[in-house]
Amino acid sequence: MSLATRGDVRQGPVTSPPRGRTAAATGGRRRRSVGDRLALWVPLALFLLFTIVPLYWMVLFAFRPAGSTSLLPWPITLEHFRTVWEGSGFGIYFRNSIMVAVTSLVVSTVVGLLGGYALARLDFRGKKLFLVTMLCTQFIPGAMMLIPLFQIFNTLRLTNSLWSLVIADTVFHLPLSLVLMAGFIRNVPVELEAAAQVDGCGRIRAFCAVVLPLLKPGIVAVGSFAFISAWNNFLFAIMFISSQDKFTVPVGLSYLLGDFGTDFGALAAGGLIAVVPVIVLFAYVQRFLIQGLTAGAVKG
């Protein structure tokens, strides 16, 4: 027997699977693939519809002329924006909200940065208890603290002042800022600070020169959360502020709802004005926000 014959005998006949079985398996995979796509896209489409329809309805009422029943905002009118901005004093509310949100952002970020560094780099007695206490404060609703806070602000003569909103918003957001910033700082190798200190830098200078530039995504993430929390806060503003010239945007929107009638065009225009800063903020910091969240979630 030749070598070729031995190879043929050892290898044996090669049988191909039945054509019908292959087609059935391919069809099953195709059906499963279509089913997986439907399971993914149908919930996403429903969620997108649930999100876009109210937004489009608000845009429709804001730009559609009063009395119109068209489903398209045409012809476009800006009369509702002029009414809400000039006639309702919405410009003052917008300015007050900007002042409160920006101040809360700065205070929360600075204090969170310093406190987060202490939690991440320093060892002190009661550190774990302090962290647990801060996390437990996040389970306390703000409504439970209204009466104590009002009494404190009344004693300090801070009621009907924008500083009461800044203090309340900062205090309630600060625990989250501390925990997030501590996680961001832990991801920065401590060897970088040690190398800077070997070169003659003190702790503060090493922090400013080495650690702080690497914390830009984390600072943006913490600052964004602080801004949005202060911008959207309605409970503290309606409780601590009584003068109309010190109202914020959420309170101003609530006062557009009349007892005997509501100007839906003006209300929709005010809602669009209220969401513009948040949209602009997220459009600008989206990249840094994603980097900050992933950096704080994974310990390197």
Side-chain angles (χ1 to χ4, degrees):
M1 183 180 294
S2 63
L3 185 61
T5 306
R6 291 179 183 179
D8 295 340
V9 173
R10 188 180 296 113
Q11 184 176 1
V14 179
T15 59
S16 60
R19 184 175 302 175
R21 185 178 301 174
T22 305
T26 305
R29 286 197 298 269
R30 186 180 296 111
R31 285 194 295 270
R32 284 196 299 270
S33 177
V34 173
D36 294 341
R37 292 180 181 179
L38 289 177
L40 174 64
W41 287 107
V42 170
L44 288 178
L46 293 176
F47 177 76
L48 186 63
L49 185 66
F50 182 79
T51 305
I52 289 181
V53 168
L55 182 61
Y56 176 76
W57 209 250
M58 185 167 59
V59 172
L60 180 65
F61 273 92
F63 290 99
R64 190 175 64 180
S68 175
T69 58
S70 174
L71 295 180
L72 294 175
W74 189 263
I76 294 177
T77 179
L78 300 178
E79 184 63 30
H80 300 306
F81 290 92
R82 285 192 291 267
T83 300
V84 74
W85 190 265
E86 299 174 0
S88 301
F90 214 77
I92 300 175
Y93 309 154
F94 192 87
R95 182 195 63 190
N96 294 337
S97 290
I98 288 291
M99 293 174 58
V100 172
V102 171
T103 307
S104 300
L105 181 154
V106 173
V107 175
S108 298
T109 304
V110 172
V111 177
L113 188 63
L114 299 178
Y117 181 83
L119 293 174
R121 291 290 192 257
L122 304 180
D123 292 327
F124 52 89
R125 185 176 300 178
K127 177 179 177 179
K128 294 183 178 180
L129 179 61
F130 179 72
L131 284 172
V132 172
T133 304
M134 284 196 308
L135 292 176
C136 289
T137 58
Q138 299 299 296
F139 297 100
I140 302 177
M144 295 181 60
M145 304 301 295
L146 284 178
I147 295 178
L149 285 175
F150 183 83
Q151 293 178 347
I152 293 174
F153 291 146
N154 190 32
T155 302
L156 298 175
R157 297 181 180 180
L158 289 176
T159 54
N160 198 27
S161 172
L162 295 179
W163 283 108
S164 61
L165 302 182
V166 172
I167 295 173
D169 292 333
T170 302
V171 168
F172 272 85
H173 184 74
L174 194 57
L176 180 62
S177 300
L178 288 172
V179 172
L180 289 178
M181 195 60 71
F184 299 143
I185 296 175
R186 288 192 189 99
N187 289 325
V188 178
V190 70
E191 290 80 10
L192 297 178
E193 291 182 74
Q197 292 177 3
V198 168
D199 292 337
C201 295
R203 181 181 291 272
I204 297 178
R205 186 177 178 184
F207 171 77
C208 295
V210 177
V211 180
L212 193 59
L214 300 177
L215 294 178
K216 185 177 181 180
I219 293 174
V220 171
V222 171
S224 300
F225 286 133
F227 182 90
I228 295 173
S229 176
W231 181 266
N232 294 328
N233 198 304
F234 172 78
L235 192 61
F236 293 154
I238 197 65
M239 185 68 180
F240 302 146
I241 303 298
S242 56
S243 298
Q244 188 174 0
D245 60 339
K246 296 180 181 178
F247 284 167
T248 56
V249 167
V251 180
L253 285 175
S254 68
Y255 272 81
L256 292 177
L257 298 172
D259 295 331
F260 303 100
T262 301
D263 187 354
F264 290 103
L267 184 62
L272 285 180
I273 295 174
V275 301
V276 164
V278 179
I279 294 176
V280 172
L281 177 66
F282 268 99
Y284 178 71
V285 305
Q286 181 181 9
R287 177 169 57 90
F288 301 105
L289 186 62
I290 296 175
Q291 292 178 2
L293 292 178
T294 54
V298 182
K299 184 176 180 181

